[in-house]
Amino acid sequence: IERFEHSFHEDYWIGKKILELVEQGSKLNEIALIARTNRQITNITRFLDKFGIPYQIKRSESLLESKYIQDLIMIIKVLSDPAQLKDDKLMWKTFSLDYWKANQFDVFGLFHDAKEQKMSMLDFIQKTRLPKYDSLNSLSQKLIALQTYALNNSFQATFTKILHSLDLIKYFEALPEPYPELNRLSSLFQFIQARTKFKKDYSITDFLSEVRQMQERNITLNADPIELDSEKVNLLTAHGSKGLEF
């Protein structure tokens, strides 16, 4: 029995232990990690990614627990209302997302410079067009264009436009373990498609309202389950592992 002061120490130890077992001759499909909650599995996967350990998640998981889906929802929130683009707190978070690989010093510098001029980050970057903020300005222009698109098109079309205009699919494909995240993305799109069939004028506001209600009421929006793979470590919740043999 091992004891750890912090959960990330435990997750790191798990990753190192798997590498040790593989070096000793164990096959990946002979290794299973069984956690109590989906959140614990999510935390463990971050260390498996760092160690380059292939894994497969076997669970019905809530899409809303995924960091990448949460970030995507934040982008959708930014596009839902013109006033959101002038919200510096929200824009700081948006500019800082992993998707863009933006220099965090540039994001902080933009915030500081805009505050000194008593302007929003968006207004400052558009009016000054300083070369050092070119990448952030380019991103802001894409967000403005997407917001205009969202106001004049269905949310299903807007969602697709977001993925392609911001190169998010390419980002997911470049992840160390892309399939779980692509599966979550596909599941979210299927949810949007289903809601659009039910309500023809299903809007970006409708989507955000439903997400907020699900979060407040702890309603799970499940991703499609992923089948176990013979060449990967298997991650399961204690409930999901019942009846399975390895």
Side-chain angles (χ1 to χ4, degrees), residues 93-140:
K93 291 181 179 179
T94 303
F95 283 144
S96 299
L97 294 179
D98 292 341
Y99 293 137
W100 335 121
K101 299 180 180 178
N103 186 313
Q104 296 304 303
F105 289 106
D106 287 345
V107 177
F108 176 78
L110 173 59
F111 174 80
H112 179 268
D113 291 347
K115 188 175 182 181
E116 278 197 335
Q117 297 298 318
K118 297 181 180 180
M119 300 166 65
S120 71
M121 295 172 74
L122 183 66
D123 285 340
F124 179 85
I125 202 172
Q126 285 186 307
K127 292 181 179 180
T128 61
R129 297 189 179 279
L130 296 176
K132 62 181 178 179
Y133 299 136
D134 279 349
S135 61
L136 296 177
N137 186 39
S138 176
L139 174 58
S140 68

Side-chain angles (χ1 to χ4, degrees), residues 46-209:
R46 294 176 180 175
F47 280 93
L48 298 187
D49 286 338
K50 289 182 182 297
F51 288 127
I53 299 172
Y55 59 86
Q56 190 80 339
I57 301 173
K58 178 64 175 180
R59 65 182 183 186
S60 292
E61 58 175 350
S62 173
L63 294 174
L64 304 182
E65 292 182 0
S66 165
K67 174 186 180 299
Y68 298 106
I69 296 299
Q70 291 171 0
D71 290 346
L72 178 54
I73 290 173
M74 184 167 67
I75 294 171
I76 294 170
K77 182 179 179 182
V78 168
L79 303 178
S80 67
D81 183 346
Q84 301 287 11
L85 287 171
K86 300 297 181 72
D87 183 335
D88 279 353
K89 182 177 180 181
L90 187 58
M91 290 305 295
W92 183 323
K93 291 181 179 179
T94 303
F95 283 144
S96 299
L97 294 179
D98 292 341
Y99 293 137
W100 335 121
K101 299 180 180 178
N103 186 313
Q104 296 304 303
F105 289 106
D106 287 345
V107 177
F108 176 78
L110 173 59
F111 174 80
H112 179 268
D113 291 347
K115 188 175 182 181
E116 278 197 335
Q117 297 298 318
K118 297 181 180 180
M119 300 166 65
S120 71
M121 295 172 74
L122 183 66
D123 285 340
F124 179 85
I125 202 172
Q126 285 186 307
K127 292 181 179 180
T128 61
R129 297 189 179 279
L130 296 176
K132 62 181 178 179
Y133 299 136
D134 279 349
S135 61
L136 296 177
N137 186 39
S138 176
L139 174 58
S140 68
Q141 293 301 317
K142 290 180 180 180
L143 293 174
I144 292 171
L146 283 168
Q147 188 176 82
T148 301
Y149 185 91
L151 293 174
N152 298 286
N153 292 274
S154 69
F155 178 56
Q156 182 174 323
T158 298
F159 184 80
T160 302
K161 187 77 170 177
I162 291 170
L163 298 182
H164 291 286
S165 296
L166 300 178
D167 290 329
L168 298 187
I169 293 178
K170 290 182 180 179
Y171 177 86
F172 285 129
E173 289 175 338
L175 291 172
E177 284 292 333
Y179 185 66
E181 294 304 332
L182 288 170
N183 180 62
R184 295 178 187 113
L185 195 61
S186 174
S187 298
L188 182 59
F189 182 64
Q190 290 174 36
F191 168 80
I192 294 168
Q193 282 184 312
R195 298 298 294 128
T196 302
K197 288 181 180 179
F198 178 77
K199 183 181 180 183
K200 298 300 182 183
D201 60 345
Y202 187 68
S203 67
I204 191 170
T205 303
D206 292 329
F207 172 76
L208 291 172
S209 176

Side-chain angles (χ1 to χ4, degrees), residues 219-232:
I219 298 174
T220 300
L221 179 58
N222 288 332
D224 293 332
I226 301 176
E227 296 301 320
L228 295 176
D229 190 292
S230 61
E231 298 179 356
K232 297 181 179 181

